[in-house]
Amino acid sequence: MTTGVAGSFPSGLGSNPGHPLPLGFVFRSRATKEEKAAVADKAQLTDSKQIRDPQAPKGRPTPKRSAAQPQRRSVANTPSTRKEASKRQRDDRRAALERQRQALAGGDERYLPARDKGPVRKYARDFIDSRFNVAEFFLPMAVVILVLSVVRVGALQSIALLLWLVVIVLIVLDAILNGFRLKKQLAERFPDHNRKGAVAYALMRSLQMRRLRLPKPQVKRGERP
């Protein structure tokens, strides 16, 4: 055994000139793996660029056009960022409000608010819109009474107070009469529908001036609903 210098390789490993370490084998194995991966990637790229035979089977059924178009449209319309999603929500909300506004003006049942939908609510609106209601003249009468009460004349102030009492009594009597008639009509026309809250809904509508009512009146005064 030959004694080596301190820090050198032991004798029998790297000091034997007759059997050198096969370093080429180590680098060849790594190069072989890289070459195989490159060949596989090239083969996949070549296969993807090749035109498929139209007659060759795809392994799955071809979707119908009616089913494929909505899928493509939904994928195309899917927002990619949070900012885009927020903008789309604002646009949808604005469009929904615009449809609701047009429905309130034209009476389109599809886009009306929930409180105005249904045949019962429609009949209640038509019932009120087809007649004169004392309550709808309350606002102009209130202005007149207020002006009379401001004038510092004892007689005019007494008349204003009397008018207040007359207007309130007339409104209450008219509301009771309309509510009773409407309730009877709804029971006869819609026995199987939910009529809860329809009378109160109609009486609240009678408090509004005709031109300010929403949805807009669809019948003329004196016309049977």
Side-chain angles (χ1 to χ4, degrees), residues 128-146 163-164 166-168 170-172 174-175 178 203-213 221:
I128 293 298
D129 297 336
S130 64
R131 63 188 64 235
F132 287 94
N133 303 280
V134 179
E136 66 181 291
F137 301 105
F138 172 76
L139 185 59
M141 288 189 297
V143 174
V144 174
I145 295 172
L146 183 62
L163 285 177
W164 271 120
V166 171
V167 168
I168 292 175
L170 289 177
I171 290 176
V172 171
D174 187 59
N178 285 337
L203 294 180
M204 290 298 296
R205 184 176 179 86
S206 68
L207 292 172
Q208 301 172 342
M209 300 180 66
R210 182 180 175 88
R211 66 179 60 186
L212 301 179
R213 294 172 184 171
R221 293 190 190 272

Side-chain angles (χ1 to χ4, degrees), residues 54-216:
Q55 303 297 331
K58 296 184 296 184
R60 58 182 175 84
T62 302
K64 296 182 179 180
R65 180 178 297 180
S66 59
Q69 287 181 351
Q71 292 178 359
R72 289 196 297 267
R73 195 176 297 115
S74 62
V75 173
N77 295 334
T78 302
S80 57
T81 61
R82 181 178 299 178
K83 184 177 180 180
E84 184 178 352
S86 300
K87 182 178 180 299
R88 181 163 300 179
Q89 290 179 357
R90 289 195 301 270
D91 294 341
D92 294 342
R93 192 181 305 111
R94 191 178 298 111
L97 291 176
E98 178 63 21
R99 288 195 300 267
Q100 188 177 103
R101 186 187 66 81
Q102 294 178 0
L104 289 172
D108 192 347
E109 285 282 339
R110 295 176 299 173
Y111 304 113
L112 285 177
R115 65 181 179 86
D116 299 315
K117 283 185 177 181
V120 176
R121 298 300 174 97
K122 184 179 185 306
Y123 183 83
R125 292 195 301 270
D126 294 343
F127 180 87
I128 293 298
D129 297 336
S130 64
R131 63 188 64 235
F132 287 94
N133 303 280
V134 179
E136 66 181 291
F137 301 105
F138 172 76
L139 185 59
M141 288 189 297
V143 174
V144 174
I145 295 172
L146 183 62
V147 171
L148 292 177
S149 62
V150 171
V151 178
R152 294 186 177 277
V153 177
L156 292 179
Q157 291 181 348
S158 300
I159 293 174
L161 181 59
L162 182 61
L163 285 177
W164 271 120
L165 295 176
V166 171
V167 168
I168 292 175
V169 171
L170 289 177
I171 290 176
V172 171
L173 292 177
D174 187 59
I176 293 175
L177 184 61
N178 285 337
F180 178 77
R181 290 177 178 175
L182 178 59
K183 187 175 182 179
K184 183 179 178 181
Q185 292 289 333
L186 291 176
E188 293 177 356
R189 292 174 178 265
F190 308 99
D192 299 330
H193 289 72
N194 182 15
R195 303 184 301 274
K196 184 178 180 180
V199 175
Y201 170 79
L203 294 180
M204 290 298 296
R205 184 176 179 86
S206 68
L207 292 172
Q208 301 172 342
M209 300 180 66
R210 182 180 175 88
R211 66 179 60 186
L212 301 179
R213 294 172 184 171
L214 291 175
K216 294 292 185 181

Side-chain angles (χ1 to χ4, degrees), residues 47-60 62:
D47 293 340
S48 62
K49 290 182 178 181
Q50 289 180 355
I51 300 176
R52 187 182 61 82
D53 186 1
Q55 303 297 331
K58 296 184 296 184
R60 58 182 175 84
T62 302

